[in-house]
């Protein structure tokens, strides 16, 4: 039984990048779909595809690498809030990720969004992960 599906999602992406895979498949959920959309909007992945397999569904993610150095676009994926220790933050307390170069993904009352979007709307929430 999987107790932390977001940590599993981040670990699958991290492991696929370390093995230089082009595509990674992840079991789908609405939260993971929204995180994938944010990663695509912010330019961390090339593209994604949601597939139905008559069960849970699958998210296929095409990972992005630098053409010259072959380094992945995502340098670090860090889980912040976890089932054993939830981390919540107010807009005034948002911390910059990698001096503003990275993003934090939050689960708010208005949906899943980045820290910059949440700060613009002046809403806080659970800090799911940091990406840079």
């Amino acid at each position: 039984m999987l107790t932390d599906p977001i940590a599993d999602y981040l670990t699958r992406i991290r492991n696929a990048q370390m093995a230089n895979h082009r595509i990674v498949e992840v079991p789908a959920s609405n939260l993971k779909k929204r995180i994938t959309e944010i990663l695509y909007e912010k330019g961390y992945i090339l593209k994604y595809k949601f597939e139905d397999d008559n069960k849970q569904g699958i998210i296929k993610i095409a990972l992005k690498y630098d053409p010259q150095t072959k380094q992945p676009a995502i340098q670090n994926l860090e889980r912040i809030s976890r089932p054993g220790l939830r981390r919540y933050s107010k807009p005034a307390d948002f911390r910059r990720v990698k001096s503003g170069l990275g993003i934090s993904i939050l689960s708010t009352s208005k949906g899943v969004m980045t820290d910059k979007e949440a700060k613009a709307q002046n809403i806080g929430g659970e800090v799911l992960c940091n990406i840079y």
Side-chain angles (χ1 to χ4, degrees), residues 42-105:
K42 299 302 176 186
Y44 287 107
I45 59 175
L46 280 177
K47 53 186 163 181
Y48 61 92
K49 185 177 179 184
F50 302 137
E51 291 186 353
D52 186 30
D53 64 350
N54 295 326
K55 290 185 243 169
Q56 182 174 1
I58 295 173
I59 304 171
K60 287 190 177 183
I61 301 171
L63 300 173
K64 188 176 185 178
Y65 294 92
D66 186 300
Q68 281 96 24
T69 63
K70 307 290 187 214
Q71 292 293 319
I74 300 172
Q75 296 297 317
N76 192 8
L77 297 161
E78 181 183 18
R79 180 77 159 122
I80 303 299
S81 185
R82 51 193 174 90
L85 180 62
R86 301 287 186 186
R87 301 279 173 106
Y88 297 94
S89 186
K90 296 181 258 186
D93 298 336
F94 290 159
R95 301 183 71 193
R96 293 180 7 177
V97 179
K98 202 68 168 174
S99 299
L101 297 176
I103 59 170
S104 283
I105 297 179

Side-chain angles (χ1 to χ4, degrees), residues 1-5 8:
M1 177 163 180
L2 196 62
T3 58
D4 191 2
D8 177 63

Side-chain angles (χ1 to χ4, degrees), residues 108-121:
T108 68
S109 58
K110 306 260 176 154
V112 179
M113 61 183 71
T114 66
D115 55 343
K116 293 175 180 100
E117 294 168 350
K119 194 166 195 164
Q121 295 181 23

